Amino acid sequence: MLGRVNHIAIAVPDLAAAAASYRDTLGAAVSQPQALPEHGVTVVFVELPNTKVELLQPLGQNSPIAAFLEKNPSGGMHHICYEVEDILLARDRLIEAGARVLGDIKPKTGAHGKPVLFLHPKDFFGTLIELEQV
Ligand code: CO
């Protein structure tokens, strides 16, 4: 079911500082910050040869990462995104296997304009999983 790792998302309290750290200390190519109000985050993309890292900072009220940063004030790995070929097929197989799909279980349009779903971290060893149809 799972394909490539599409991205790894890291929630950070200070996006400019995190982007500078990835650029200057780790020597990675980083994008300009992009505000994604419909997702409640501002994101910087770190482009790597085999995948991307997304640095996320809360944007606006009700950001989905605000509670995470309250618990992890210096930041932390928020989710890992795996690619799937058919998100509805993947969803139905996961539900049949007893996994919990977050929200109303309908795929939403993710940060890259593709359908995404999130799986409950308690079902997958404490890791929030995003599935993205590619
Ligand atoms: Co993501």
Side-chain angles (χ1 to χ4, degrees), residues 4 9 19 22 28 37 41 48 54-55 68 77 79 87 113 121 129-130:
R4 296 172 64 246
Y22 265 82
V41 295
L48 302 174
E54 297 182 0
L55 305 173
F68 180 89
M77 203 194 97
H79 65 268
I87 203 163
I129 291 179
E130 178 179 16

Side-chain angles (χ1 to χ4, degrees), residues 5 14 20 22 24 36 42 48 50 52 56 62 77 80 85 96 99 104 107 113-114 119-120 129 132:
V5 173
D14 181 337
Y22 265 82
D24 302 334
L36 301 172
T42 303
L48 302 174
N50 61 341
K52 317 186 260 299
L56 307 175
N62 309 318
M77 203 194 97
I80 182 163
E85 279 182 20
E96 204 174 288
D104 66 5
K114 308 263 179 68
L119 307 176
H120 201 297
I129 291 179
E132 180 172 310

